[in-house]
Structures are given as C-alpha cells and as structure tokens.
Amino acid sequence: MNVRRLIPTTAVAGAVVLGLTALSACSTSDAADGGNGDKLKVTASFYPMQFLTERIGGEHVAVTSLTKPGVEPHDLELTPRQIGSISESDYVLYLKGIQPAVDDAIKQSGVKNTVDAATLTTLENHGSEVSGHDHGHDHAEEAPEEHGEHEEHEEHSEGDGHNHGEEGGADPHIWLDPVKYAEVAKGVGKSLEKADPDHAADYRKNTDALVAELGELNTAYETGLKNTSTKTFITTHSAFGYLAERYGLTQQGIAGIDPEAEPSPARIQEIHTIAEKEKATTVFFETLASDRTARTLAKDTGLKTGVLDPLEGITKKSQGADYIEVMESNLAALQKALGAK
C-alpha cells in the first residue's frame, strides 16, 4: 500500500525501480534517499497512524510505519535501525500507551515535530469491559467516578504486554470510533501544516476530504445500527468500547486481557447466560490473533463466530484494503450479528 502511494505515477521506470528498492529497505532515511528528495520524512507508530499521515500528507510525505503488516502492535520490539530512523524523521505520529517500546524511543529521539494522537481527542476509561462482568450498562449514562473502582483492571495491562497508558486505565482504541478518529485527523492536519508550511494548503484540503469521508462512515454506522434485534456483541479483544458507546451498543469481552487466553468455565457460563438474555448470536475474534478462544466459546454456548477487526494492521486476511474498507466490513459483520432491520 505504501509503495503504491509513495511513488509518483509520472516517474520514469528507472526511478520507480529505485524507489521500490529504497522503500523495501523499511527505513525512513532510505525512503527519503530513494527519489523522495524534499518530501517530509514521516514515521508512524502503527497502521491507524500510518493511514492518517498517508492520506493527509499525500504526495508531500514519505511515510514509514514502525509496525510491519501482520505484527501485533502491542508486541512490537524495535531494531536499532528503526530507533535510528525515528531520530532522522521530520515528523512522528504515535499513540502513547499502545506500544511502550515506541514511546521510549520517541522520548529519546529529540524529533521536534512529535505528535501523540491521544492528545488530539478525549480518552475515556472503558476499564470495566476487561472482565465484561458489569458491562451491561450504557456508558453514556455512567457517572465518571464509577470508573474509579476499575482502574486496577487497566485494559490488557496484564498477561500480553499491553500497557494502555498511565491515565487511570484510559482506553487508547480511539481510531475505532470514526468521530474521534476525525478529531485526531484534524489535529494531524494542523500539525503537518506547522511542520511543513509550504504545503499547508494541500494538507488542509486532504484533511477536509478525509474528515468528510469519516463523517460518511459515522452516518453509515448510525443508520446501519439504529434498529437491531440486540445491542450486545461478544468479543475476544475488548477494543470496541468507543465504537459501542458511540452507537449505543454493549461490548462483552470474554477474558478481556489476553485475546488468546482460554476463558474459565464460569466465564463461559456467564457469557452463555448473557447471550441468552441479550439475544447475542456471535462471538467475534480478530485477524491478528488466534481464533481458538472464540471457537471454544462458540462451541460451548451454541453461538456463531465472526471477525471484528480492531484495525491495528492490514494484512492479506483483512476484509478490505484500508481503514475505510475494513470499517465498512466491521459494520456489515455487526449488522449481521446484531440482527439489523
């Protein structure tokens, strides 16, 4: 995907070959040397950040993602070469709390234009969905102080290397809510204008176009999930708190902490009870983790399985070529599972 976007279509064949060779080396500095000339050297921490910088930066940026396709972002360990490439960047976009190794490397890089996407919107605490035990309520009506007792359950904070921020278990999965993602996109656009004022008008235009597209996606979700047989969905990865809150749904995480952990017999029974009471039909698993837990639970409870992609990376298994397409596939999967009318 990167290669297609980064190489100008007007380039002569030789230059295209050169560009491809440089880009395959996976280093920001190499990419910049490979015919990108005066392009802004951008480092993105993982796919949702890469998508924003590519779409907003357009032809003016050379984007390198630190997380290769198919790698679970939370598990990322950086090579010395990647750490060096961060320091050589003109602009870095990351999401603090998702990837501790990246957070540390960025802190030490000394790059002037460094943007934490978490500061561009409001993070919330969806800690209660880790266990899923008390998630049968509507977040919107919940008093903020009710979250406090769940802070020790910081989502994914044990067992699988996930360390999701220090602000009392704030949920970092903001990109799965098109409205919050659009807020981040606006902030990224403004920060790119500052980092590269010569191309500010283009960044503004590209930001407006992307924000409009995310607005259409939000409308599609609002319309598509308005009338459903049930509002409850079950997932192995409790990543969909913002999405559930935005569209009036309830997410039930299985074990919550480790997407591949076997659920306890008590939890299986509990999910079975919830599924019967709430008329839930489907256990969702994700593309970058094993489906073993979901299949075990589905077998034990008589539920179906399906894919709900947390969009932490795009691979050949992804139900779409980019963020927008995969989110549309997620909507279709939710509509089917929830019995949209």
Side-chain angles (χ1 to χ4, degrees), residues 287-288 307 309 311 313-322 326 329:
T287 42
L288 294 182
V307 172
D309 194 330
L311 262 157
I314 296 282
T315 68
K316 286 176 184 168
K317 289 183 184 175
S318 299
Q319 307 286 309
D322 65 11
V326 176
S329 297

Side-chain angles (χ1 to χ4, degrees), residues 61-302:
V61 299
V63 181
T64 300
S65 176
L66 294 171
T67 311
K68 291 193 176 91
V71 173
E72 223 286 335
H74 308 284
D75 302 334
L76 181 71
E77 288 180 17
L78 297 176
T79 63
R81 183 170 188 173
Q82 284 178 307
I83 292 168
S85 80
I86 295 171
S87 304
E88 291 163 17
S89 307
D90 299 315
Y91 178 96
V92 177
L93 180 65
Y94 74 115
L95 182 54
K96 191 177 177 185
I98 283 268
Q99 300 169 291
V102 174
D103 296 351
D104 292 344
I106 287 169
K107 203 185 289 178
Q108 292 161 25
S109 69
V111 176
K112 182 185 157 196
N113 296 302
T114 300
V115 178
D116 172 11
T119 64
L120 304 175
T121 185
T122 312
L123 265 64
E124 292 167 28
N125 186 332
H126 296 136
S128 59
E129 64 195 41
V130 171
S131 63
H133 294 302
D134 54 357
H135 198 56
H137 51 254
D138 183 352
H139 278 298
E141 298 165 7
E142 188 173 32
E145 59 270 22
E146 285 182 29
H147 286 309
E149 66 190 270
H150 300 298
E151 287 183 7
E152 71 273 20
H153 293 306
E154 192 168 302
E155 190 183 352
H156 302 309
S157 62
E158 310 159 31
D160 65 346
H162 293 39
N163 174 14
H164 281 179
E166 296 145 317
E167 287 103 2
D171 179 357
H173 297 90
I174 44 178
W175 66 92
L176 291 165
D177 172 353
V179 177
K180 283 196 175 294
Y181 200 46
E183 288 173 5
V184 174
K186 288 176 190 171
V188 169
K190 288 196 177 96
S191 62
L192 278 171
E193 286 176 43
K194 278 186 192 162
D196 182 18
D198 290 353
H199 301 114
D202 285 349
Y203 296 142
R204 209 167 301 135
K205 189 176 94 183
N206 294 345
T207 301
D208 290 346
L210 179 56
V211 167
E213 215 173 326
L214 292 170
E216 286 168 18
L217 185 65
N218 174 48
T219 303
Y221 266 79
E222 276 182 344
T223 311
L225 298 172
K226 192 172 276 180
N227 297 310
T228 55
S229 304
T230 179
K231 296 290 181 190
T232 299
F233 64 98
I234 299 161
T235 174
T236 52
H237 185 181
S238 299
F240 301 92
Y242 290 107
L243 186 149
E245 188 170 350
R246 177 70 57 196
Y247 304 111
L249 308 177
T250 298
Q251 167 184 253
Q252 283 287 351
I254 296 175
I257 288 167
D258 183 349
E260 298 186 30
E262 292 288 350
S264 68
R267 185 59 181 151
I268 289 174
Q269 184 53 50
E270 196 173 11
I271 291 285
H272 187 52
T273 305
I274 290 164
E276 280 188 340
K277 185 183 163 203
E278 305 294 340
K279 299 183 175 60
T281 62
T282 308
V283 180
F284 286 115
F285 60 92
E286 57 177 293
T287 42
L288 294 182
S290 162
D291 62 359
R292 191 179 70 235
T293 305
R295 295 205 183 281
T296 302
L297 186 67
K299 191 176 156 201
D300 291 343
T301 55

